[in-house]
Amino acid sequence: MKTIDELLAEGVTGKRVFVRADLNVPLDSTTITDDGRIRAVVPTVKALAEAGARVIVASHLGRPKGAPDPAFSLAPAAARLGELLGADVAFAGDTVGETATATVADLADGRVAVIENLRFNAGETAKDDAERGAFAEQLAALADVYVGDGFGAVHRKHASVFDLPARLPHYAGYLISTEVGVLKKLTEDVKRPYAVVLGGSKVSDKLAVIDQLLGRADRILVGGGMVFTFLAAKGHEVGASLLQQDQLPAVREYVERAEKNGIELVLPVDVVTSAGFPDLKTKAPSDPRTVAADAIPADQMGLDIGPETRKLYASKIADAGTVFWNGPMGVFEHPDYAEGTRAVAQALVDSPAFSVVGGGDSAAAVRTLGFDENAFGHISTGGGASLEYLEGKTLPGLAALED
């Protein structure tokens, strides 16, 4: 795959460069609560602008229904991008309509514009190849060159990710090049021991990656809501905790395979519980209790790993050569249940291992809990994309950048 450095060497002055970014940031009304994904694309946009390109930044945000929806406008993201670049960024209120066409036509060399949410057009996510292709043709008319830098979307077969690169000279931006390089370190010539920390709410979201990791990892540490299906699979009472009954057979099989293959499958020895789910908006104090992982009361739900488990997991991370972490250990958004996630993050910071934080909620947790991002080997911008790469899947957005 050609890189942005090759494009810059060829010269971009006066060229319209379409940058498919990932500006899918969390919003509280119009306030961005985590700008990590916007900051991640700044190096690519800045390099192109400084080289004289006319930069058109495009992205999705949320899941609108293929039509304009003010709740999912990219206007706040465009404003934040301008602040980070230290330059005015034009904003077009549509994707391929008159406003976008006029905004792009008015761009001077070295200037940047953001067009509105790509998913406001049904063609972006269409299953029908012809419909997706038609939208890609309209996007292609806006630009001379395509740069893919939205790693968080490369696992989607969408018009701007998969179909558009086929219609323009295409290159990988700095973020995608970095992400792919990091993921190769997790799949090729891995420095061992290789420890994987998996959390998040549903075990069903992680089944495919667990299946792959059972042949690659040395240790798998499990937390978050998904751990209660593992505990139930081992015959333990999990009370009112999140439990996916339909996944019990698969989890039992994974437990058996891990033991057979000599892989450490590490589960909590204690958990922090409460009689109800905490109020995440007010952060009002709840009633946390620490109980043994095999003795959760019937009226309690597990919401975090306990203090002994935090020590155990930290010890399993301490001597690792490589650590991949995807998914918080508990309801980190509430202070009563954030300590498990904090402990894992701190263990990664303290460990000499090459550490990768696998995007999504894990990346948000690191920032929310106040950790220095530079203390980790890499913080991915794409949780789903990272997992699918580790599953061994072909990612449409990466395949489209290959020649």
Side-chain angles (χ1 to χ4, degrees):
M1 111 182 15
K2 290 183 179 179
T3 68
I4 186 175
D5 285 332
E6 292 174 85
L7 172 60
L8 293 171
E10 294 167 9
V12 293
T13 302
K15 289 185 178 179
R16 300 171 301 163
V17 181
F18 187 104
V19 177
R20 199 341 178 153
D22 180 8
L23 308 181
N24 185 29
V25 292
L27 293 172
D28 182 1
S29 185
T30 59
T31 302
I32 296 169
T33 57
D34 182 357
D35 68 354
R37 283 176 168 166
I38 302 175
R39 286 186 284 112
V41 79
V42 165
T44 289
V45 174
K46 188 174 183 180
L48 290 167
E50 289 180 348
R54 303 176 184 187
V55 187
I56 306 145
V57 180
S59 176
H60 69 288
L61 192 154
R63 297 179 182 272
K65 306 295 184 181
D69 183 338
F72 297 105
S73 175
L74 279 174
R80 181 58 180 148
L81 178 61
E83 291 172 356
L84 292 167
L85 290 170
D88 290 335
V89 169
F91 179 68
D94 58 19
T95 54
V96 291
E98 292 181 3
T99 304
T101 301
T103 300
V104 172
D106 288 343
L107 275 180
D109 293 357
R111 308 304 292 180
V112 180
V114 174
I115 61 175
E116 187 54 285
N117 192 335
L118 292 162
R119 291 185 183 175
F120 285 2
N121 189 304
E124 170 67 2
T125 59
K127 301 293 185 185
D128 181 73
D129 291 350
E131 185 180 354
R132 240 184 19 255
F135 182 48
E137 290 286 353
Q138 291 178 292
L139 292 172
L142 296 174
D144 305 304
V145 181
Y146 177 93
V147 172
D149 215 31
F151 181 74
V154 293
H155 58 315
R156 306 295 187 193
K157 193 176 182 181
H158 291 170
S160 65
V161 176
F162 179 73
D163 303 270
L164 181 55
R167 290 162 168 80
L168 293 170
H170 45 268
Y171 302 80
Y174 290 127
L175 175 61
I176 278 187
S177 296
T178 298
E179 294 271 15
V180 171
V182 166
L183 288 170
K184 284 183 177 179
K185 289 185 179 181
L186 298 178
T187 55
E188 304 171 9
D189 299 322
V190 180
K191 186 178 180 182
R192 297 186 179 277
Y194 179 17
V196 176
V197 186
L198 294 177
S201 58
K202 294 182 179 180
V203 69
S204 55
D205 293 340
K206 307 284 169 68
L207 286 178
V209 76
I210 293 171
D211 185 64
Q212 287 293 317
L213 290 169
L214 285 171
R216 294 179 180 171
D218 299 301
R219 301 168 186 159
I220 301 176
L221 288 57
V222 186
M226 64 182 282
V227 78
F228 300 104
T229 303
F230 278 86
L231 292 173
K234 291 179 74 70
H236 301 320
E237 170 63 50
V238 297
S241 307
L242 180 63
L243 172 63
Q244 289 187 280
Q245 289 274 3
D246 61 325
Q247 302 300 328
L248 284 171
V251 171
R252 288 192 187 101
E253 194 268 330
Y254 288 160
V255 170
E256 292 171 4
R257 269 175 59 196
E259 185 174 350
K260 182 180 178 181
N261 294 345
I263 295 167
E264 284 189 84
L265 182 61
V266 190
L267 301 178
V269 294
D270 59 351
V271 296
V272 182
T273 69
S274 178
F277 200 81
D279 189 327
L280 301 184
K281 195 167 186 67
T282 66
K283 306 289 196 295
S286 59
D287 181 27
R289 306 180 190 178
T290 299
V291 302
D294 60 357
I296 301 173
D299 64 343
Q300 294 281 302
M301 62 173 62
L303 298 171
D304 194 12
I305 57 173
E308 292 305 314
T309 303
R310 293 168 211 158
K311 294 177 188 175
L312 173 64
Y313 284 18
S315 72
K316 298 295 183 181
I317 291 169
D319 66 344
T322 304
V323 184
F324 173 70
W325 173 30
N326 182 280
M329 296 292 97
V331 185
F332 74 92
E333 299 92 340
H334 193 285
D336 289 345
Y337 309 101
E339 292 310 306
T341 302
R342 187 190 305 279
V344 166
Q346 187 62 55
L348 264 66
V349 170
D350 295 340
S351 171
F354 175 66
S355 59
V356 179
V357 180
D361 288 340
S362 308
V366 163
R367 289 187 276 265
T368 299
L369 296 174
F371 285 90
D372 180 358
E373 294 181 46
N374 294 322
F376 302 88
H378 179 69
I379 297 180
S380 178
T381 57
S386 295
L387 289 177
E388 290 198 15
Y389 188 100
L390 294 181
E391 288 167 24
K393 290 184 177 179
T394 297
L395 306 188
L398 297 184
L401 294 175
E402 298 286 354
D403 290 313

